[in-house]
Amino acid sequence: MSISTSVVSELLQAIPHWRPQMYFKASLTALSHAMEDQVLAGEDCPLVIASFQRERFYRQEAHRYRRIASKSQQIYVLAAPETDFANNSGVFETIAFEKSDGLALEWHLVVIGQQYASCLICRERAIGTEKQSDMNVMDNSRRFEGIWTFDRQVSQKAAEILLKRILLYRPELASKIEEARRLYLPSSAPENALLTKENQFLSQTPTVQPDPFVQRLVTYLQVAQYKLIKANRSLTLKEHKERLINSVTHAIRQSLDPEEILQVAVQMLGEGLGVCRCIVYRCSENDAIAKIKHEFLNDGIKSIKGQLWPLKNNPLFEAIISQRESISVDDTLKDPRLQPPLKSNRAASLKTIVKSCSIASWLLVPILYQGRLLGMVELHHCGPAPASWKSEDIALVNAIATQIGVALIQAEAYANLHDLNEQLEALDRTRSNLVAITGHELRTPLSTIQVCLESLATEPDMSPELRQVMLNTALQDAERMRTLVQDFLTLSQLESGRIEWHPEPLSLYECVELSLSHVRSRNTEGKLPRIQNFVAPDLPLVLADGEWLVEVLSKLLDNACKFTSPDGSVTIEVNYNSLQQLEVTISDTGRGIEPNRLETVFDRFYQEEGALRRSAGGTGLGLAICRQIVSGWGGQIWAQSEGKNHGSQFHFTVPLVAESFGSEFDMSNSDEVEDSASSTPQKRRRTSRKKRN
């Protein structure tokens, strides 16, 4: 059986002119003890009805009620059972009600004697589930609403309501309850005696006035409790702040990935502060825009992830740059920085953002490290009405932004260290390859030259035919050594930036033909694969340094021929990469390249089969030189292949000559430009060399 009716509600209906008061748990404890002590100190035999919310509260006072039971036979104790509390007639009557009963949320104590009467009838406020109630068992900040009075008629009415409730749970106590009514609740009292305030005071004056000490004690406890609540609230906020800072710090220190750091920070900060929207983005002082990559959203809030956030001509961002501190906007509709007139159209753009993102209140906190701007934390309140930013919230976000800045710097330092380690490893590999390649490429031709020269010097009777063979072999190996040294010097100049580029209008068809002639002249034995030139002669002119363009074409063709068998083929094609660029493609049917090595082939000293196990000669510098040259005129170079024995394709881009090319030169150079445009690649190459010299 469960009764949901509230005793407090029934009593207030009977005395509508009374207004309930608010009491803290500590105050009710003091009042209850004062009422119980009055019973223990007196000689009267009163009626005592005590209702506890739970059995555990009763157990704390059980010893007092055993002493009170020695004073009277009319003692009734109600509580919700948890272990062994049950309906029982012992030294006093115990009444067990269900936890779902309305009494489980109330605190009652009624004392009616011959010389005095008092009652305490209260109901706990702001209590939700049972779990919440259990969590607040020892919390003295629990609040109750009800009546505490020494008025006899009010006390008698409260006793009548509680006795009816007891009778419903313990009908076997009917005779004892009737005796209590006869002794303490005289039936002669008019039923409507409590309906007016005048009748309350005129019908019967209490024999004993409330103890002034008790009233002063309650007042003191109430004031002290308010102070305690205020202090606890302050401590709770500080604890929440420290806990949030510690949790964010611990979370972001678990990673050295800047993106992960920002995502963890925005998520924990948004959840911790319960804001509508929280965003974090990287930016520097000179950035015009920032992209929103990390965002926390509350339910029903529009996402702005992926949007471009304006920074240039943004008065709020400019204020942060100048002040180096956070900025809060309590009401975006009234803040003067967001209202026209302002310079140009800055206010209008910000108002557009405010409207599209539904920002009612705005907080911007910079992420700084030693004065350097690393990013920004923004909190948005998107409710229908603006909200003021509390100083403690701003301080909290500032503290977290500082921790984010430290974590980002650590992540950058780790990334730089990782890059440095990779560079050192690459340098070590370069050194090893350099030693291996130079040792092989220099020692082999030197040995051949030495053998040939020694043979010529020690054998004067050598036939002219053999002498010529020895001389040709020595010359070929000397040329091989010269090419090696030249490649080293060329790459060194390109990487150091000491090359002076001389772009000029060129016919790509003529450059290809010139490079083909170079390739054929270096391979007089006729073992080249079939080379097909599909470059049209009427292509528009390209803007590049003629000597270096021919160098790139020659090296790529050499490379294709070297790894393609004589029965294979090499093709040269040109396509439009865009309106400003042509794309040159050199394809072969040779051995191909593994897909995971398509980027590595452009590294210095790269050898597909290893420095000492390759079947084709070379230094491994050709493609590295090509990449540096193509980068010099702002182009791109890349390789494609489906794998071993599937051939390969090398692509690079070269810019086209703009229509206004001639206007970019001074009139004093007009003759030179005209000669360059109409000359052959061979003449332009000689002209380029003269310029460098």
Side-chain angles (χ1 to χ4, degrees), residues 543-554:
L543 184 63
D545 191 306
E547 180 179 358
W548 293 113
L549 177 56
V550 172
E551 184 77 11
V552 171
L553 290 166
S554 299

Side-chain angles (χ1 to χ4, degrees), residues 510-538:
E510 294 181 4
C511 292
V512 171
E513 287 294 328
L514 182 59
S515 62
L516 286 173
S517 65
H518 288 173
V519 172
R520 293 189 178 103
S521 65
R522 287 195 292 265
N523 294 272
T524 58
E525 299 179 1
K527 295 182 179 180
L528 290 174
R530 182 166 54 94
I531 302 177
Q532 296 176 288
N533 181 8
F534 295 116
V535 179
D538 57 349

Side-chain angles (χ1 to χ4, degrees), residues 501-515 537 539-550 553 657 661 671-692:
W501 302 98
H502 298 279
E504 54 186 343
L506 299 170
S507 168
L508 188 56
Y509 174 80
E510 294 181 4
C511 292
V512 171
E513 287 294 328
L514 182 59
S515 62
L539 285 172
L541 298 179
V542 296
L543 184 63
D545 191 306
E547 180 179 358
W548 293 113
L549 177 56
V550 172
L553 290 166
V657 174
F661 178 84
D671 294 337
E672 182 179 340
V673 173
E674 182 178 352
D675 292 340
S676 298
S678 60
S679 62
T680 63
Q682 293 92 331
K683 291 181 180 180
R684 287 195 292 271
R685 189 174 182 185
R686 288 195 295 270
T687 303
S688 180
R689 286 199 186 98
K690 289 179 182 179
K691 291 177 184 177
R692 294 186 183 90

Side-chain angles (χ1 to χ4, degrees), residues 362-382:
W362 204 342
L363 176 62
L364 298 89
V365 178
I367 302 175
L368 301 170
Y369 183 80
Q370 295 182 352
R372 172 190 167 194
L373 181 64
L374 303 177
M376 192 76 66
V377 178
E378 292 192 15
L379 304 184
H380 301 163
H381 174 67
C382 304

Side-chain angles (χ1 to χ4, degrees), residues 92 207 271 286 390 553:
F92 50 81
T207 307
E271 292 177 353
N286 299 321
K390 299 179 181 178
L553 290 166

Side-chain angles (χ1 to χ4, degrees), residues 584-655:
V584 181
T585 303
I586 297 177
S587 306
D588 62 69
T589 59
R591 65 177 60 177
I593 306 170
E594 293 292 344
N596 60 342
R597 296 185 177 182
L598 291 174
E599 288 293 330
T600 315
V601 294
F602 294 98
D603 293 344
R604 291 173 295 175
F605 305 112
Y606 173 79
Q607 295 287 349
E608 182 190 14
E609 298 168 310
L612 300 177
R613 296 186 293 106
R614 63 194 188 281
S615 58
T619 62
L621 297 176
L623 293 178
I625 291 174
C626 290
R627 180 171 61 180
Q628 291 292 331
I629 295 173
V630 173
S631 298
W633 64 55
Q636 294 179 321
I637 185 169
W638 68 96
Q640 291 180 325
S641 178
E642 295 182 2
K644 287 289 186 180
N645 302 319
H646 286 83
S648 58
Q649 303 87 40
F650 283 84
H651 310 260
F652 71 89
T653 59
V654 59

